[in-house]
Amino acid sequence: MILFITQFFYENHVLFHYFFYNFNLPKNENMKKLILVRHAKSDWPEETEDFDRPLADKGLKDAMNMSRFMKSNNISIDHFVSSPAVRALNTCKIFNQTYQLKVATEDKLYNPSERNFESVIYDLDDSVGSVALFSHNNGISNFANSISEDIFHFPTCGVAGFEIDCNSWSEFDGAKKKLLFFYEPGKI
């Protein structure tokens, strides 16, 4: 029975997160929202540097599907910040076809450490209530796991959303953080 319940929850975690995110969580306007997005599936053509790797056809499709899924499920985002690497920036641009936001690039999100993410977060303007950071593994998985009790590994185009209990991004480190959702392209 326990195995059945565990498997049912795992296979339907998107549904559970959607339900709790949209219906059961109290809406606190003073909370910040942090959304982490790993770049979509990339290709690696011969003689192409890591920084210049393009998205594969699957990556293009996954990014479009994920951005539409998030928008249709009322995941609000105010601002995008992306690694300047081609595969991350193109993932961000595809999301922006759906969201139509201001996009910034940040070198610290390419081959990032956990501290790189924190540095980018501390530099955010407090008028930004919800931000999506587009980056790479292993850094994005390590950072997500450092701020959450939920241990997970980001697949390509995986997305995790967190509620940060703070009024200012400068309070991020000491603020309580809660995982709101974790979406994988193959499970939406």
PDB file of all heavy atoms in Angstrom, residues 1-11 16:
ATOM      1  N   MET A   1       0.822  -1.194   0.000  1.00  0.00           N
ATOM      2  CA  MET A   1       0.000   0.000   0.000  1.00  0.00           C
ATOM      3  C   MET A   1       0.866   1.259   0.000  1.00  0.00           C
ATOM      4  O   MET A   1       0.587   2.196  -0.729  1.00  0.00           O
ATOM      5  CB  MET A   1      -0.928  -0.026   1.232  1.00  0.00           C
ATOM      6  CG  MET A   1      -1.857   1.149   1.296  1.00  0.00           C
ATOM      7  SD  MET A   1      -3.036   1.095  -0.069  1.00  0.00           S
ATOM      8  CE  MET A   1      -4.125   2.360   0.396  1.00  0.00           C
ATOM      9  N   ILE A   2       1.899   1.255   0.832  1.00  0.00           N
ATOM     10  CA  ILE A   2       2.788   2.415   0.885  1.00  0.00           C
ATOM     11  C   ILE A   2       3.462   2.628  -0.464  1.00  0.00           C
ATOM     12  O   ILE A   2       3.577   3.755  -0.939  1.00  0.00           O
ATOM     13  CB  ILE A   2       3.829   2.255   2.010  1.00  0.00           C
ATOM     14  CG1 ILE A   2       3.127   2.321   3.368  1.00  0.00           C
ATOM     15  CG2 ILE A   2       4.907   3.318   1.918  1.00  0.00           C
ATOM     16  CD1 ILE A   2       4.012   2.009   4.537  1.00  0.00           C
ATOM     17  N   LEU A   3       3.886   1.550  -1.108  1.00  0.00           N
ATOM     18  CA  LEU A   3       4.503   1.642  -2.423  1.00  0.00           C
ATOM     19  C   LEU A   3       3.526   2.247  -3.427  1.00  0.00           C
ATOM     20  O   LEU A   3       3.887   3.118  -4.213  1.00  0.00           O
ATOM     21  CB  LEU A   3       4.976   0.271  -2.899  1.00  0.00           C
ATOM     22  CG  LEU A   3       5.642   0.224  -4.272  1.00  0.00           C
ATOM     23  CD1 LEU A   3       6.888   1.102  -4.266  1.00  0.00           C
ATOM     24  CD2 LEU A   3       6.018  -1.199  -4.614  1.00  0.00           C
ATOM     25  N   PHE A   4       2.274   1.827  -3.394  1.00  0.00           N
ATOM     26  CA  PHE A   4       1.260   2.379  -4.305  1.00  0.00           C
ATOM     27  C   PHE A   4       1.084   3.878  -4.084  1.00  0.00           C
ATOM     28  O   PHE A   4       1.059   4.658  -5.029  1.00  0.00           O
ATOM     29  CB  PHE A   4      -0.078   1.663  -4.109  1.00  0.00           C
ATOM     30  CG  PHE A   4      -1.201   2.315  -4.871  1.00  0.00           C
ATOM     31  CD1 PHE A   4      -1.320   2.137  -6.242  1.00  0.00           C
ATOM     32  CD2 PHE A   4      -2.108   3.137  -4.221  1.00  0.00           C
ATOM     33  CE1 PHE A   4      -2.343   2.755  -6.945  1.00  0.00           C
ATOM     34  CE2 PHE A   4      -3.128   3.759  -4.916  1.00  0.00           C
ATOM     35  CZ  PHE A   4      -3.242   3.565  -6.289  1.00  0.00           C
ATOM     36  N   ILE A   5       0.965   4.299  -2.827  1.00  0.00           N
ATOM     37  CA  ILE A   5       0.769   5.718  -2.507  1.00  0.00           C
ATOM     38  C   ILE A   5       1.979   6.529  -2.945  1.00  0.00           C
ATOM     39  O   ILE A   5       1.834   7.592  -3.549  1.00  0.00           O
ATOM     40  CB  ILE A   5       0.484   5.897  -1.004  1.00  0.00           C
ATOM     41  CG1 ILE A   5      -0.884   5.296  -0.661  1.00  0.00           C
ATOM     42  CG2 ILE A   5       0.539   7.367  -0.611  1.00  0.00           C
ATOM     43  CD1 ILE A   5      -1.160   5.190   0.825  1.00  0.00           C
ATOM     44  N   THR A   6       3.175   6.015  -2.671  1.00  0.00           N
ATOM     45  CA  THR A   6       4.397   6.713  -3.074  1.00  0.00           C
ATOM     46  C   THR A   6       4.462   6.857  -4.586  1.00  0.00           C
ATOM     47  O   THR A   6       4.746   7.926  -5.108  1.00  0.00           O
ATOM     48  CB  THR A   6       5.633   5.947  -2.562  1.00  0.00           C
ATOM     49  OG1 THR A   6       5.524   5.815  -1.143  1.00  0.00           O
ATOM     50  CG2 THR A   6       6.916   6.666  -2.919  1.00  0.00           C
ATOM     51  N   GLN A   7       4.182   5.780  -5.319  1.00  0.00           N
ATOM     52  CA  GLN A   7       4.230   5.832  -6.774  1.00  0.00           C
ATOM     53  C   GLN A   7       3.140   6.762  -7.311  1.00  0.00           C
ATOM     54  O   GLN A   7       3.377   7.543  -8.217  1.00  0.00           O
ATOM     55  CB  GLN A   7       4.072   4.436  -7.363  1.00  0.00           C
ATOM     56  CG  GLN A   7       4.220   4.439  -8.875  1.00  0.00           C
ATOM     57  CD  GLN A   7       4.226   3.039  -9.455  1.00  0.00           C
ATOM     58  OE1 GLN A   7       4.164   2.061  -8.731  1.00  0.00           O
ATOM     59  NE2 GLN A   7       4.312   2.953 -10.767  1.00  0.00           N
ATOM     60  N   PHE A   8       1.930   6.706  -6.732  1.00  0.00           N
ATOM     61  CA  PHE A   8       0.853   7.578  -7.180  1.00  0.00           C
ATOM     62  C   PHE A   8       1.249   9.045  -7.001  1.00  0.00           C
ATOM     63  O   PHE A   8       1.066   9.853  -7.892  1.00  0.00           O
ATOM     64  CB  PHE A   8      -0.434   7.282  -6.403  1.00  0.00           C
ATOM     65  CG  PHE A   8      -1.578   8.180  -6.789  1.00  0.00           C
ATOM     66  CD1 PHE A   8      -2.305   7.928  -7.935  1.00  0.00           C
ATOM     67  CD2 PHE A   8      -1.905   9.293  -6.017  1.00  0.00           C
ATOM     68  CE1 PHE A   8      -3.349   8.755  -8.306  1.00  0.00           C
ATOM     69  CE2 PHE A   8      -2.944  10.122  -6.373  1.00  0.00           C
ATOM     70  CZ  PHE A   8      -3.672   9.855  -7.534  1.00  0.00           C
ATOM     71  N   PHE A   9       1.802   9.389  -5.836  1.00  0.00           N
ATOM     72  CA  PHE A   9       2.197  10.773  -5.580  1.00  0.00           C
ATOM     73  C   PHE A   9       3.292  11.199  -6.555  1.00  0.00           C
ATOM     74  O   PHE A   9       3.223  12.273  -7.136  1.00  0.00           O
ATOM     75  CB  PHE A   9       2.683  10.957  -4.138  1.00  0.00           C
ATOM     76  CG  PHE A   9       3.109  12.366  -3.866  1.00  0.00           C
ATOM     77  CD1 PHE A   9       2.172  13.356  -3.623  1.00  0.00           C
ATOM     78  CD2 PHE A   9       4.452  12.704  -3.888  1.00  0.00           C
ATOM     79  CE1 PHE A   9       2.561  14.656  -3.396  1.00  0.00           C
ATOM     80  CE2 PHE A   9       4.851  14.004  -3.662  1.00  0.00           C
ATOM     81  CZ  PHE A   9       3.916  14.992  -3.420  1.00  0.00           C
ATOM     82  N   TYR A  10       4.313  10.344  -6.757  1.00  0.00           N
ATOM     83  CA  TYR A  10       5.396  10.679  -7.657  1.00  0.00           C
ATOM     84  C   TYR A  10       4.877  10.927  -9.075  1.00  0.00           C
ATOM     85  O   TYR A  10       5.226  11.902  -9.714  1.00  0.00           O
ATOM     86  CB  TYR A  10       6.450   9.569  -7.668  1.00  0.00           C
ATOM     87  CG  TYR A  10       7.574   9.861  -8.627  1.00  0.00           C
ATOM     88  CD1 TYR A  10       8.569  10.773  -8.288  1.00  0.00           C
ATOM     89  CD2 TYR A  10       7.625   9.261  -9.888  1.00  0.00           C
ATOM     90  CE1 TYR A  10       9.581  11.064  -9.172  1.00  0.00           C
ATOM     91  CE2 TYR A  10       8.634   9.549 -10.767  1.00  0.00           C
ATOM     92  CZ  TYR A  10       9.619  10.447 -10.404  1.00  0.00           C
ATOM     93  OH  TYR A  10      10.628  10.746 -11.288  1.00  0.00           O
ATOM     94  N   GLU A  11       4.013  10.060  -9.557  1.00  0.00           N
ATOM     95  CA  GLU A  11       3.507  10.190 -10.924  1.00  0.00           C
ATOM     96  C   GLU A  11       2.559  11.367 -11.077  1.00  0.00           C
ATOM     97  O   GLU A  11       2.359  11.859 -12.175  1.00  0.00           O
ATOM     98  CB  GLU A  11       2.803   8.892 -11.342  1.00  0.00           C
ATOM     99  CG  GLU A  11       3.763   7.736 -11.530  1.00  0.00           C
ATOM    100  CD  GLU A  11       3.070   6.422 -11.801  1.00  0.00           C
ATOM    101  OE1 GLU A  11       1.829   6.366 -11.754  1.00  0.00           O
ATOM    102  OE2 GLU A  11       3.781   5.431 -12.045  1.00  0.00           O
ATOM    103  N   PHE A  16      -0.615  17.615  -7.855  1.00  0.00           N
ATOM    104  CA  PHE A  16      -0.667  18.018  -6.451  1.00  0.00           C
ATOM    105  C   PHE A  16      -0.102  19.416  -6.256  1.00  0.00           C
ATOM    106  O   PHE A  16      -0.693  20.240  -5.571  1.00  0.00           O
ATOM    107  CB  PHE A  16       0.096  17.020  -5.565  1.00  0.00           C
ATOM    108  CG  PHE A  16      -0.634  15.728  -5.357  1.00  0.00           C
ATOM    109  CD1 PHE A  16      -0.124  14.549  -5.858  1.00  0.00           C
ATOM    110  CD2 PHE A  16      -1.834  15.688  -4.671  1.00  0.00           C
ATOM    111  CE1 PHE A  16      -0.791  13.349  -5.688  1.00  0.00           C
ATOM    112  CE2 PHE A  16      -2.519  14.488  -4.490  1.00  0.00           C
ATOM    113  CZ  PHE A  16      -2.003  13.321  -4.993  1.00  0.00           C
TER     114      PHE A  16
END
